[in-house]
């Protein structure tokens, strides 16, 4: 055994992740309805360079090529999301057969290529028609989500066994309703609290639906978990960090897995919690999904709805090319905290490194050594957490392709595969080749 052989539990899974809105394109094709992000893309200054996801990586048409890329990399697990408005253009009611057909083609091709599909029901592209009816502020959203979950479970449950309910609900609630600016934009405390509670209820009903319709399903929710540090040691900043930690990291997994809200939110959310709600939210799940990239800093800010705002670190720390703090030891800490608190098998459902400089060199190759360094450090930190007792069962790199990175548009590239957006040509970067070697041999 060489010193760089990874020590991992037997059966450890390696995979890669994407999301529907970020790669599919074809936003107006074959009956797909608009999502909130189609609207945001049209708002002035909301997305860098005025980028839209109308074409994105054109994965809707090029999915077979993308699956072949995964197969060539030796990948056996693929995490993707279904675009709710592609199946239900108005979010509820009539079903779009062509939308169902697309994911049939995708799933069948994955399975034929020996790749296990991990299907996430919702990754930010919430139907605009439902947003116009109040979105997650409206308690009816729980039933809308349940009906959509039934459709997905009934249609794909014969072939898909791994399901995630919602990707990063905390960031949807926090950035959409607690801090501006991102979708859908309501800087208001009560709206924020209702959204938190209804997303949690939505998760709970979706777990029940998936259990009922898909025998043997393996189900989890995907949580954004970035340790929060105060910018200073002062009591106000420490309080700000405590509250941000509840919003960013705790207010979804705590009620879903432990059955209660974290203390500050618990007091505020009470008016929206009906008898029996917490039991509906706290349904047995099979695993904990963690998306982790960095750490965040909080500072006290009495001008904001929650009394905190995000801040840069007061100490100089290494950063990725897009300015995200590199702190692999925080990954180990967070994996251990999750393992101790929730006592569930953990899957790292996203981890990766963004760049605004990745580009082909004179030989047409993309040498992203900075990403290999980042991934080596983070995967190393994960193995330390495992050695110290964290029950981590798998790791999905973010992301297969460079893609539409929300407000940053196409300026931030997270792919292991480069996308030349003008031609849609895919070029596996050095990191794709490195990852392929890693997952086949377990060595970094
Ligand atoms: C996560 C999102 C994912 C991607 C990465 C960089 O928060 O889940 O869609 O944007 O960040």
């Amino acid at each position: 055994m060489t010193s760089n052989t990874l020590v991992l539990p037997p059966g450890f899974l390696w995979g890669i992740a994407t999301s529907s809105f970020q790669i599919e394109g074809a936003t107006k094709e074959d009956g797909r309805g608009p999502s909130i992000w189609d609207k945001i893309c049209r708002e002035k200054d909301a997305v860098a360079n005025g980028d839209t996801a109308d074409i994105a990586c054109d994965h809707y048409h090029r999915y077979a090529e993308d699956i072949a890329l995964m197969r060539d990399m030796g990948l056996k697990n693929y995490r993707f999301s279904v675009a709710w408005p592609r199946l239900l253009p108005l979010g509820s009611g009539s079903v779009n057969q062509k939308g169902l057909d697309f994911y049939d083609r995708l799933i069948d091709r994955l399975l034929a290529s020996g790749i296990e599909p991990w299907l996430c029901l919702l990754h930010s592209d919430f139907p605009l028609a439902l947003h116009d009816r109040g979105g997650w502020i409206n308690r009816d959203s729980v039933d809308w989500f349940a009906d959509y979950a039934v459709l997905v479970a009934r249609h794909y449950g014969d072939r898909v066994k791994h399901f995630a309910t919602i990707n990063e609900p905390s960031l949807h609630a926090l950035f959409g309703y607690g801090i501006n600016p991102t979708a859908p934009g309501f800087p208001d405390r009560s709206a924020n609290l209702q959204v938190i509670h209804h997303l949690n209820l939505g998760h709970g009903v979706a777990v029940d639906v998936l259990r009922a319709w898909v025998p043997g399903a393996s189900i989890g929710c995907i949580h954004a978990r970035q340790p929060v540090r105060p910018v200073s040691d002062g009591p106000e900043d420490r309080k700000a960090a405590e509250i941000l930690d509840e919003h960013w990291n705790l207010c979804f997994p705590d009620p879903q897995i432990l059955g209660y809200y974290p203390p500050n939110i618990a007091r505020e959310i009470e008016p929206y919690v009906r008898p029996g709600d917490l039991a509906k939210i706290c349904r047995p799940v099979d695993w904990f999904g963690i998306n982790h990239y960095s750490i965040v800093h909080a500072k006290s800010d009495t001008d904001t709805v929650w009394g905190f705002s995000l801040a840069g670190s007061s100490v100089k720390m290494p950063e990725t090319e897009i300015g995200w703090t590199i702190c692999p030891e925080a990954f180990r800490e967070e994996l251990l905290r999750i393992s101790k608190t929730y006592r569930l098998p953990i899957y790292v459902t996203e981890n990766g490194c963004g760049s605004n400089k990745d580009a082909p060199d004179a030989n047409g190759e993309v040498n992203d050594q900075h990403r290999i360094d980042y991934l080596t450090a983070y995967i190393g930190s994960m193995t330390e957490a495992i050695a110290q007792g964290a029950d981590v069962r798998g790791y999905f790199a973010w992301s297969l392709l460079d893609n539409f990175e929300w407000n940053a548009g196409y300026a931030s590239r997270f792919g292991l595969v480069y996308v030349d957006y003008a031609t849609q040509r895919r070029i596996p970067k050095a990191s794709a080749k490195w990852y392929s070697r890693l997952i086949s041999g377990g060595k970094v």
Side-chain angles (χ1 to χ4, degrees):
M1 190 171 93
T2 60
S3 59
N4 57 1
T5 298
L6 297 174
V7 180
L8 295 165
F12 189 86
L13 300 181
W14 294 102
I16 207 150
T18 64
S19 88
S20 45
F21 192 72
Q22 294 178 276
I23 63 168
E24 284 178 5
T27 52
K28 299 193 187 74
E29 222 169 299
D30 288 346
R32 176 187 178 278
S35 77
I36 48 172
W37 268 95
D38 294 283
K39 178 164 181 264
I40 292 164
C41 288
R42 256 108 205 139
E43 281 163 10
K44 198 172 169 313
D45 298 332
V47 177
N49 306 312
D51 289 340
T52 73
D54 291 356
I55 300 173
C57 307
D58 197 29
H59 173 76
Y60 188 74
H61 300 111
R62 293 167 196 264
Y63 69 92
E65 182 190 343
D66 294 336
I67 293 171
L69 276 169
M70 286 193 267
R71 196 199 47 218
D72 292 349
M73 285 169 71
L75 284 157
K76 299 271 183 284
N77 295 280
Y78 175 51
R79 187 195 142 213
F80 67 102
S81 70
V82 168
W84 183 346
R86 206 179 276 292
L87 300 197
L88 296 160
L90 295 176
S92 62
S94 63
V95 175
N96 178 29
Q97 185 58 43
K98 288 188 170 165
L100 283 174
D101 294 346
F102 168 65
Y103 297 105
D104 276 332
R105 292 196 292 279
L106 178 77
I107 290 164
D108 291 345
R109 189 97 184 190
L110 285 167
L111 292 170
S113 308
I115 301 172
E116 181 71 19
W118 289 59
L119 186 158
C120 178
L121 290 172
L122 178 59
H123 192 128
S124 306
D125 45 3
F126 185 75
L128 185 60
L130 297 181
H131 172 66
D132 292 341
R133 291 163 68 186
W136 290 102
I137 298 175
N138 184 341
R139 198 172 156 117
D140 290 348
S141 54
V142 180
D143 296 331
W144 302 331
F145 191 54
D147 291 346
Y148 162 60
V150 170
L151 175 66
V152 171
R154 286 181 68 175
H155 195 83
Y156 304 112
D158 58 336
R159 287 155 289 162
V160 179
K161 298 296 167 198
H162 289 93
F163 289 92
T165 53
I166 307 175
N167 180 73
E168 300 192 345
S170 73
L171 295 198
H172 183 70
L174 182 62
F175 288 100
Y177 299 84
I179 308 178
N180 267 339
T182 41
F186 284 96
D188 170 292
R189 244 185 210 207
S190 66
N192 190 188
L193 290 160
Q194 289 171 85
V195 168
I196 291 171
H197 192 55
H198 298 154
L199 276 164
N200 268 321
L201 283 165
H203 159 82
V205 296
V207 172
D208 287 348
V209 163
L210 292 163
R211 282 270 180 253
W213 287 98
V214 187
S218 173
I219 307 166
C221 184
I222 293 175
H223 301 288
R225 295 284 297 218
Q226 326 298 322
V228 182
R229 313 261 201 258
V231 279
S232 81
D233 220 20
E236 292 86 7
D237 288 336
R238 276 194 279 125
K239 184 73 188 173
E242 178 190 316
I243 297 176
L244 178 56
D245 187 39
E246 287 193 7
H247 278 268
W248 196 302
N249 295 320
L250 306 178
C251 68
F252 287 90
D254 280 11
Q256 290 177 12
I257 303 164
L258 306 176
Y260 48 80
Y261 279 103
N264 295 289
I265 291 182
R267 277 192 297 278
E268 301 256 1
I269 211 161
E270 226 178 71
Y272 309 106
V273 180
R274 297 186 190 162
D277 276 2
L278 281 159
K280 288 187 191 145
I281 291 169
C282 183
R283 309 297 299 138
V285 287
D286 302 295
W287 46 269
F288 186 108
I290 165 180
N291 289 357
H292 176 91
Y293 290 89
S294 185
I295 54 174
V296 285
H297 287 87
K299 72 167 185 216
S300 164
D301 183 347
T302 46
D303 288 342
T304 64
V305 277
W306 288 106
F308 64 73
S309 55
L310 301 178
S313 165
S314 46
V315 195
K316 185 94 193 101
M317 295 182 79
E319 288 179 351
T320 65
E321 288 173 2
I322 57 162
W324 293 14
T325 303
I326 301 175
C327 183
E329 54 279 17
F331 191 27
R332 178 179 53 82
E333 279 166 33
E334 200 57 21
L335 288 168
L336 286 167
R337 172 160 86 137
I338 291 167
S339 209
K340 278 199 197 95
T341 313
Y342 306 110
R343 306 194 168 278
L344 280 172
I346 300 170
Y347 288 96
V348 177
T349 35
E350 282 183 29
N351 172 242
C353 175
S355 162
N356 49 18
K357 297 199 181 74
D358 286 353
D361 62 17
N363 302 321
E365 288 176 2
V366 182
N367 185 5
D368 56 343
Q369 186 59 43
H370 66 98
R371 181 169 292 107
I372 296 175
D373 294 344
Y374 172 101
L375 294 172
T376 303
Y378 273 75
I379 290 171
S381 206
M382 173 183 76
T383 58
E384 282 170 30
I386 293 170
Q388 291 167 22
D391 184 10
V392 186
R393 307 278 179 96
Y395 174 97
F396 290 74
W398 182 269
S399 179
L400 175 65
L401 304 168
D402 290 337
N403 59 44
F404 176 84
E405 178 48 30
W406 312 116
N407 300 94
Y410 297 102
S412 279
R413 293 177 177 270
F414 276 85
L416 301 197
V417 175
Y418 181 87
V419 177
D420 175 353
Y421 293 110
T423 61
Q424 290 296 342
R425 187 165 163 231
R426 275 79 163 130
I427 307 173
K429 301 178 191 176
S431 58
K433 297 168 195 162
W434 171 87
Y435 193 54
S436 173
R437 282 195 301 275
L438 168 77
I439 65 181
S440 66
K443 284 186 188 177
V444 283

